């Protein structure tokens, strides 16, 4: 089994993917320390520490209003923090130029409405904008085509985005992010509008990107998807970190019942052994 460079150059991998033990020792691609966000007198984040490393899928979970999307926005550099610090690849996030940052991290927002009649092809091609004028432009057609196929929207290429269903729009938005080919992906509820098959497809894509050496941070409401696909999970509630670690360590019945206010039972999946969260009804 031979070692090879990852797609982003960040993580040495073998033919079977990155060595999990090695991934856990690498410097974080993203790191937040003591982050606080206050808007209109409301504390949305309070002293949050977080990191995400190359070669892993790190899921952010928590009830509505926990601060998941706010934290993702701070990590992306799209929302300023009132306190604390954020570093991207070891550099303060404020020191990055916008285009330079766009070549380093790609962001999928919760809201991805397109009101102008752009075609699917035009929207996905927008993901290549940060690379305009560089030698990476030579990869535009290949990366756009690959993103269209990965997200199952190639057959929609000539359709205008406003004419699509909600799930189709969500997949087009993801294709744009994938075409950007940044080594860090920040995905905010990428499965929310999708059917069962496409939910699984999105998380399989996230896992494949992490196994190639990229860093993936994903906000999820579905705890079973987080348990199945995440290498690490951070549970937020009330703007604070409740727990962070492996799915087994974070997703305990007592903790989930308390945080979500809904009694649950956590059992091992009969085939994979991953935690399976079942509401008590």
């Amino acid at each position: 089994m031979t070692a090879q460079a990852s797609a982003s150059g960040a993580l040495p991998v073998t033919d079977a993917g990155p060595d999990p033990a090695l991934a856990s020792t690498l410097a974080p691609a993203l790191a937040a320390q003591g982050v606080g966000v206050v808007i209109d007198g409301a504390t949305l984040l309070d002293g949050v520490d977080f990191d995400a490393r190359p070669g892993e899928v790190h899921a952010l979970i928590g009830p509505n209003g926990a601060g998941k999307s706010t934290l993702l926005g701070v990590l992306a550099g799209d929302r300023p923090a009132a306190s604390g610090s954020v570093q991207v690849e070891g550099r303060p996030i404020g020191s990055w130029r916008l285009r330079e940052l766009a070549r380093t991290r790609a962001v999928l927002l919760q809201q991805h409405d397109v009101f102008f009649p752009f075609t699917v092809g035009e929207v996905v091609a927008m993901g290549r904008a940060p690379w305009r004028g560089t030698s990476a432009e030579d990869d535009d057609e290949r990366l756009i085509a690959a993103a269209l196929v990965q997200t199952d929207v190639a057959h929609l290429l000539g359709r205008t985005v406003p004419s699509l269903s909600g799930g189709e729009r969500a997949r087009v938005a993801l294709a744009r992010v994938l075409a950007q080919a940044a080594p860090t992906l920040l995905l905010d509820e990428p499965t929310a509008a999708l059917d069962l098959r496409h939910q699984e497809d999105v998380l399989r894509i996230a896992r494949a990107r992490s196994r190639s050496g990229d860093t993936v941070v994903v906000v999820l409401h579905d705890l079973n998807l987080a348990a199945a696909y995440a290498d690490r999970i951070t549970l937020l509630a009330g703007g604070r970190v409740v727990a962070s670690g492996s799915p087994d360590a974070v997703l305990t019945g007592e903790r989930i019942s308390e945080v979500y206010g809904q009694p649950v039972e956590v059992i091992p999946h009969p085939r994979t052994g991953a935690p399976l969260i079942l509401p008590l009804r």
Side-chain angles (χ1 to χ4, degrees):
M1 189 173 293
T2 57
Q4 58 188 10
S6 75
S8 64
L11 178 66
V13 298
T14 68
D15 293 338
D19 180 345
L22 178 59
S24 67
T25 66
L26 293 177
L30 293 171
Q33 291 186 323
V35 165
V37 173
V38 179
I39 296 180
D40 295 334
T43 299
L44 304 186
L45 293 176
D46 184 7
V48 169
D49 295 336
F50 176 88
D51 68 71
R53 299 173 185 273
E56 71 175 8
V57 175
H58 195 145
L60 288 172
I61 64 171
N64 294 335
K68 304 180 296 296
S69 295
T70 301
L71 177 57
L72 203 76
V74 172
L75 294 171
D78 294 335
R79 183 186 290 276
S83 58
S85 63
V86 175
Q87 292 192 328
V88 177
E89 296 187 354
R91 286 173 48 189
I93 198 165
S95 72
W96 291 77
R97 292 176 298 174
L98 184 58
R99 177 162 288 199
E100 184 184 28
L101 190 60
R103 294 172 184 166
T104 304
R105 61 93 182 102
V107 185
L108 179 68
L109 301 174
Q110 278 189 57
Q111 302 299 324
H112 32 70
D113 292 327
V114 175
F115 299 104
F116 296 99
F118 293 114
T119 67
V120 167
E122 288 169 335
V123 169
V124 177
M126 292 175 187
R128 299 300 301 157
W131 302 100
R132 194 168 297 141
T134 74
S135 60
E137 274 191 311
D138 295 341
D139 291 328
D140 283 2
E141 289 188 12
R142 177 180 63 83
L143 291 169
I144 290 168
L148 289 165
V149 171
Q150 278 187 299
T151 55
D152 190 29
V153 294
H155 62 291
L156 303 172
L157 186 63
R159 289 271 301 275
T160 60
V161 173
S163 74
L164 304 179
S165 71
E168 289 169 337
R169 293 186 195 190
R171 283 152 41 210
V172 170
L174 177 62
R176 174 189 57 75
V177 168
L178 296 177
Q180 195 169 329
T184 294
L185 295 179
L186 302 173
L187 310 177
D188 196 354
E189 297 189 36
T191 62
L194 302 183
D195 60 33
L196 178 61
R197 171 204 159 183
H198 289 109
Q199 287 180 14
E200 295 291 329
D201 281 349
V202 167
L203 273 300
R204 281 191 283 261
I205 291 168
R207 174 174 279 175
R209 286 290 295 263
S210 73
R211 296 304 183 258
S212 75
D214 290 338
T215 305
V216 181
V217 180
V218 55
V219 174
L220 291 171
H221 272 301
D222 189 319
L223 301 183
N224 289 312
L225 284 176
Y229 285 99
D231 301 293
R232 279 200 292 160
I233 292 176
T234 292
L235 171 61
L236 295 170
R240 296 183 177 183
V241 174
V242 175
S244 189
S246 69
D248 284 330
V250 173
L251 298 174
T252 66
E254 182 179 3
R255 180 179 289 128
I256 297 303
S257 298
E258 180 180 356
V259 169
Y260 284 84
Q262 164 64 46
V264 301
E265 179 182 15
V266 178
I267 62 174
H269 189 284
R271 184 174 59 82
T272 67
L276 195 59
I277 296 89
L278 304 174
L280 295 180
R281 296 174 176 139

